Amino acid sequence: LDFYNTCKDDLDIVFISSDRDEKSFSDYYQKLMPFLATMPAFNSEEARQQHIKMADTFQIKGIPTVIVLDGKTGNFITDNARTEIMKVTDEESKKALVKSWLEKEAVPIDQAEFNTGMSRGPLMKALMFFVNRPVYIFGLYYLIKQGLKYLDELGQDEIEGGEL
């Protein structure tokens, strides 16, 4: 809210709720009064489908997520805004951050690279690979189970052969 109050002349925020009922939405939204909001997903099947489409389009993995779009074109600027906002502390750096977004080249959403702000070490890449493809978890489980079965049989052969 502090960031918004400092920079509200240069940006608009649209709140997209993940609340599952009217009371939760109302309780939370009351704290965010100056923001615009979309129709909550629990309101209708159409609103729910729009939320699902937005989450898929922007590859939203958790909440809160802050994505910056060009207000004139709808083009993508960054999905790392939450992290960037958390790092700025004074009024000058907040305004400089908004200015940096305005100076970035916005790209059409279908050409955007999402989740660039996340740590992408090898372990995180592997984890995200399986999170984005849950059916592969079963394949990984099968391979691990077969590998353990093989090692167990190998160990039994050594015990029976008197090698241990």
Side-chain angles (χ1 to χ4, degrees):
L1 198 53
D2 183 50
F3 181 85
Y4 174 76
N5 288 332
T6 301
C7 303
K8 64 184 172 189
D9 294 336
D10 299 315
L11 61 89
D12 285 314
I13 294 178
V14 179
F15 176 59
I16 302 171
S17 171
S18 293
D19 293 310
R20 297 173 191 238
D21 59 68
E22 181 71 37
K23 182 178 178 351
S24 299
F25 173 76
S26 295
D27 290 349
Y28 193 71
Y29 189 66
Q30 294 300 321
K31 299 175 193 171
L32 303 173
M33 283 295 199
F35 303 155
L36 301 169
T38 62
M39 177 84 64
F42 61 80
N43 243 16
S44 70
E45 181 60 25
E46 181 182 358
R48 190 176 81 75
Q49 290 303 320
Q50 288 174 343
H51 280 248
I52 290 169
K53 185 176 180 180
M54 278 190 285
D56 288 346
T57 298
F58 295 110
Q59 299 178 18
I60 295 172
K61 306 291 184 218
I63 56 174
T65 297
V66 181
I67 297 171
V68 178
L69 303 176
D70 182 308
K72 293 176 184 166
T73 65
N75 287 346
F76 175 83
I77 295 174
T78 184
D79 63 349
N80 193 33
R82 180 173 185 257
T83 301
E84 293 171 340
I85 291 168
M86 300 296 282
K87 291 179 182 177
V88 294
T89 55
D90 59 72
E91 187 172 320
E92 186 178 316
S93 61
K94 291 173 185 176
K95 290 188 178 277
L97 176 58
V98 172
K99 185 178 180 201
S100 76
W101 292 337
L102 294 171
E103 292 172 349
K104 273 188 179 178
E105 181 181 348
V107 297
I109 292 170
D110 62 350
Q111 296 174 16
E113 290 186 35
F114 297 103
N115 301 311
T116 57
M118 294 177 63
S119 170
R120 291 296 191 158
L123 185 58
M124 181 57 101
K125 285 181 182 178
L127 176 65
M128 292 309 295
F129 176 84
F130 286 106
V131 166
N132 291 325
R133 298 164 186 86
V135 74
Y136 287 4
I137 293 172
F138 295 106
L140 180 62
Y141 173 76
Y142 174 79
L143 289 173
I144 290 171
K145 190 170 180 177
Q146 292 301 313
L148 291 173
K149 182 179 173 185
Y150 172 77
L151 290 173
D152 185 50
E153 289 172 358
L154 188 63
Q156 290 297 326
D157 287 346
E158 288 182 7
I159 290 172
E160 290 172 6
E163 293 181 23
L164 289 178

